[in-house]
Amino acid sequence: MQRTDSRVVTVGRLFGVLAVLLVPWTAYVFLTLPPRARAENYDLAWGGFDVGLVGLLGLTAIAAVRQSPWLAPVAGGTATVLATDAWFDVVTAPTTADRLIASAMAVLVELPLALVCVWLALRGQDLPTRRRRW
């Protein structure tokens, strides 16, 4: 095994330990946080999140059109942010009507786009190899 490979395995193990350590914290959060909270800068948080999503969608577009070796990680990140956006839109919707709209947007737009990004990420992993063959 090369030195770089062993570092990757070590980091992978570290992430596994971190995932296990996060389980009790997650249980604590579920059990102790209040069901409602007023958030300062709520508009800035969501607006900033959406600006980041716009940036990732743009980077994914550029990487796909250029068949860039960056396509896989950028599309994977975009898929993650889209799924996160769908989740938080639905669970933070203040009214039933808002929750229905957020759910429809999640099912019809955000999650299908996330799946396309996953497909791009998987296809993008082969781009550097295919380009070298040419």
Side-chain angles (χ1 to χ4, degrees):
M1 185 181 319
Q2 293 178 338
R3 184 177 167 114
T4 302
D5 293 341
S6 66
R7 288 183 194 159
V8 170
V9 170
T10 300
V11 170
R13 289 181 180 146
L14 174 64
F15 273 54
V17 169
L18 292 172
V20 169
L21 292 175
L22 194 56
V23 171
W25 172 254
T26 304
Y28 171 78
V29 166
F30 267 110
L31 296 171
T32 61
L33 284 180
R36 292 188 186 343
R38 175 159 161 49
E40 294 296 322
N41 302 312
Y42 188 75
D43 55 346
L44 180 61
W46 278 111
F49 190 87
D50 285 343
V51 166
L53 180 54
V54 167
L56 282 169
L57 286 168
L59 287 173
T60 301
I62 292 167
V65 169
R66 293 185 177 178
Q67 296 187 7
S68 168
W70 286 94
L71 178 59
V74 171
T78 304
T80 302
V81 171
L82 282 163
T84 302
D85 190 31
W87 170 260
F88 281 102
D89 284 346
V90 172
V91 299
T92 64
T95 67
T96 301
D98 290 335
R99 189 167 293 111
L100 288 172
I101 292 168
S103 297
M105 288 293 293
V107 169
L108 297 173
V109 178
E110 293 161 330
L111 296 177
L113 274 177
L115 289 175
V116 170
C117 287
V118 168
W119 178 79
L120 283 171
L122 293 173
R123 295 288 298 156
Q125 290 178 352
D126 298 336
L127 283 176
T129 306
R130 284 188 296 210
R131 289 185 130 194
R132 273 187 247 132
R133 281 190 219 146
W134 283 98

